[in-house]
């Protein structure tokens, strides 16, 4: 798997677009606050919701904090950001 700054930029762009789409706001309003590479404890990327089935397997990915206006949002992704969960 590709890693480094180029991959991080791709992750940030995917996460920004995901959040903008989910909040129904322009992409330009969504800004990166922080990004950290993380080994999640399960396939649900450390996010627990009712009726969610998770495999207990270490899943590498990223923790991102994004802002849209005055609000901040915590997103968890897998390594290529094909899976994105927002912490509620």
């Amino acid at each position: 798997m590709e890693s480094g700054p180029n991959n991080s930029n791709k992750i940030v762009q995917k996460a920004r677009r995901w959040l903008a789409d989910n909040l129904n706001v322009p992409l330009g309003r969504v800004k990166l606050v922080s990004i950290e590479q993380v080994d999640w404890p399960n396939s649900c990327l450390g996010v627990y919701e009712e009726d969610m089935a998770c495999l207990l397997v270490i899943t590498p990915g990223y923790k991102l904090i994004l802002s849209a206006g005055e609000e901040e949002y915590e997103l968890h992704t897998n390594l290529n950001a094909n899976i994105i969960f927002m912490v509620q």
Side-chain angles (χ1 to χ4, degrees):
M1 181 68 200
E2 180 184 353
S3 62
N6 288 339
N7 190 53
S8 294
N9 290 337
K10 291 177 188 175
I11 299 303
V12 169
Q13 293 312 313
K14 283 184 173 184
R16 286 181 63 232
R17 178 157 308 285
W18 185 93
L19 186 60
D21 289 349
N22 279 273
L23 296 177
N24 198 28
V25 299
L27 182 61
R29 288 198 57 213
V30 179
K31 308 289 184 195
L32 176 67
V33 175
S34 67
I35 183 171
E36 172 186 357
Q37 194 162 1
V38 176
D39 285 332
W40 301 113
N42 55 44
S43 63
C44 294
L45 311 178
V47 177
Y48 302 97
E49 294 180 8
E50 194 172 323
D51 299 326
M52 186 183 252
C54 304
L55 297 174
L56 295 177
V57 58
I58 300 297
T59 306
Y62 293 90
K63 173 183 171 182
L64 297 98
I65 305 296
L66 300 175
S67 66
E70 299 297 316
E71 297 293 320
E72 288 191 351
Y73 301 88
E74 181 176 330
L75 302 183
H76 294 185
T77 76
N78 63 346
L79 268 183
N80 57 12
N82 287 341
I83 302 170
I84 299 175
F85 292 123
M86 181 164 46
V87 176
Q88 298 294 331

